[in-house]
Amino acid sequence: MKKRYVIGIDAGGTKVAYGLFNDEGKIIDRIEHATDAEADGPGFSDTLIENTKALMTKNNQSFEQLDGVGIGMPSYIKNNTGYVFITSAMPQIKDFAMRDYLEARLPTRIVLDNDANTAALAEYRHGAGRGTRHMVYIVVGTGLGSGIIIDGKVFSGSYGAAGECGHMLATPNEGLLCGCDNKGCFMSYVSGRLLPEHVKLGMENGIDSILTPETANGIQLIKAYKKGDMLAQKIIEQIAHNLAWCVFNIYQLLNIDTFVFGGGYTGMCDILFDRVREKFGNLNHIPFPVHFKMAELKEDIGIIGAAEYIKEVL
Ligand SMILES: [Zn+2]
């Protein structure tokens, strides 16, 4: 029997979204639930199994019709093994053979990869990267990471963790300590996760602000910026130049001409990304075009990418 459906799962730190797709790639149905950030590998997997079954039942479909389940999650997953080393936002999901666990309990193929890679694939095939040959997707918001597409394929490196541009070092051994255990990586300057720390530092240095470490987030940062807040301006400048340096370094290394930006900070489009573009331009002395685009797929990017990933490993 021809298998007619796939399920794409976007397992993020806040919510887990499931999309049921038909063989034309159209979304038939979707469900979601809040993420249990304390769940361990088996517990989290059991929830995925339960909801996958519920989505099939809800649509009166049997597993014989299902060609595979793709999962994108904020994890370091070893190439081609489905083995999860570590997961940001869900720290208990680590050192876990997640694909094996799921395949033993669901009668279908399981593929999983880092969510920046699945999102990159989604934008490449259905979003802002359509028609390009190579593309880098950069996700900037709570964290900073990327997914690299070379000749239409996700490039994941020798061990599965290519694209971790957020942990490239801007000021080695200086600055704030990141979850990668180094000080001064690009993520430590750019990510929303460390924004409260930068607010605290600014206040300690005597810069007046309406921001507070307790309430600082991307939305508050923009509000403060628009009111002319000095600290908000300084922080946005810091985010912009570090992001520009990061993108410039990637461009120098890979010479890929299309950068697609996604994640929470894209809400600051004109304020942040115009500066990034300008600062990148100041560094780039070669007159070939480099395209900066905003991701097009919005909230479905994760489930679309996870579903597309199934085709990658056919
Ligand atoms: Zn880092």
Side-chain angles (χ1 to χ4, degrees):
M1 186 199 291
K2 185 171 177 339
K3 294 177 187 288
R4 296 171 54 204
Y5 300 99
V6 297
I7 289 177
I9 302 176
D10 177 15
T14 311
K15 65 170 187 181
V16 184
Y18 304 69
L20 177 66
F21 293 78
N22 69 11
D23 53 6
E24 291 170 348
K26 294 270 184 298
I27 300 176
I28 306 297
D29 196 10
R30 68 191 88 197
I31 55 174
E32 64 177 57
H33 58 79
T35 302
D36 175 4
E38 300 304 315
D40 61 6
F44 187 73
S45 300
D46 289 343
T47 306
L48 296 189
I49 292 166
E50 192 183 306
N51 284 282
T52 298
K53 288 178 174 169
L55 182 58
M56 293 298 280
T57 306
K58 183 175 170 223
N59 287 276
N60 299 314
Q61 299 300 331
S62 74
F63 270 87
E64 274 129 55
Q65 301 265 18
L66 193 63
D67 198 23
V69 173
I71 303 160
M73 52 196 292
S75 306
Y76 181 159
I77 297 168
K78 189 158 189 297
N79 274 350
N80 308 319
T81 64
Y83 187 90
V84 178
F85 278 123
I86 46 173
T87 305
S88 64
M90 296 173 274
Q92 306 304 318
I93 308 176
K94 59 181 180 182
D95 296 322
F96 178 54
M98 187 158 162
R99 189 181 72 191
D100 292 349
Y101 186 94
L102 290 168
E103 280 188 340
R105 290 161 180 82
L106 278 174
T108 189
R109 296 178 310 133
I110 308 290
V111 298
L112 57 155
D113 201 354
N114 176 270
D115 54 6
N117 288 347
T118 54
L121 193 63
E123 283 295 327
Y124 180 77
R125 293 210 177 134
H126 301 288
R130 280 189 310 272
T132 61
R133 182 174 164 203
H134 316 302
M135 185 201 100
V136 180
Y137 172 77
I138 297 189
V139 57
V140 51
T142 315
L144 171 65
S146 70
I148 301 166
I149 305 278
I150 295 176
D151 279 328
K153 296 267 179 204
V154 172
F155 176 77
S156 55
S158 297
Y159 301 112
E164 290 287 357
C165 65
H167 301 306
M168 297 197 303
L169 296 169
T171 56
N173 300 321
E174 280 176 35
L176 296 175
L177 181 68
C178 171
C180 66
D181 282 343
N182 281 323
K183 284 182 180 173
C185 65
F186 285 115
M187 194 185 299
S188 74
Y189 289 102
V190 170
S191 79
R193 196 176 294 128
L194 287 178
L195 179 59
E197 294 287 319
H198 287 293
V199 171
K200 202 168 140 206
L201 270 179
M203 294 170 82
E204 283 168 7
N205 288 330
I207 306 172
D208 273 343
S209 180
I210 56 173
L211 292 166
T212 67
E214 292 75 30
T215 57
N217 59 30
I219 295 165
Q220 296 303 327
L221 181 64
I222 289 297
K223 274 190 189 163
Y225 173 88
K226 286 181 175 167
K227 287 180 182 163
D229 188 275
M230 287 293 289
L231 182 56
Q233 290 185 9
K234 185 172 175 288
I235 290 174
I236 285 182
E237 181 66 18
Q238 177 174 273
I239 293 171
H241 72 237
N242 278 283
L243 192 51
W245 293 349
C246 181
V247 174
F248 180 71
N249 286 347
I250 297 170
Y251 180 64
Q252 289 296 311
L253 183 70
L254 298 174
N255 199 226
I256 288 178
D257 69 352
T258 303
F259 291 88
V260 177
F261 294 90
Y265 276 14
T266 52
M268 303 186 209
C269 187
D270 50 341
I271 292 172
L272 178 62
F273 288 94
D274 287 356
R275 283 172 192 231
V276 174
R277 173 84 242 191
E278 186 192 334
K279 289 171 189 297
F280 179 95
N282 291 341
L283 295 168
N284 181 27
H285 308 296
I286 307 294
F288 296 129
V290 181
H291 310 286
F292 280 29
K293 298 178 175 183
M294 292 296 135
E296 292 177 3
L297 297 176
K298 309 301 173 202
E299 69 269 23
D300 281 337
I301 187 169
I303 56 174
I304 292 171
E308 285 292 331
Y309 223 83
I310 298 166
K311 296 179 198 163
E312 286 291 283
V313 291
L314 275 175

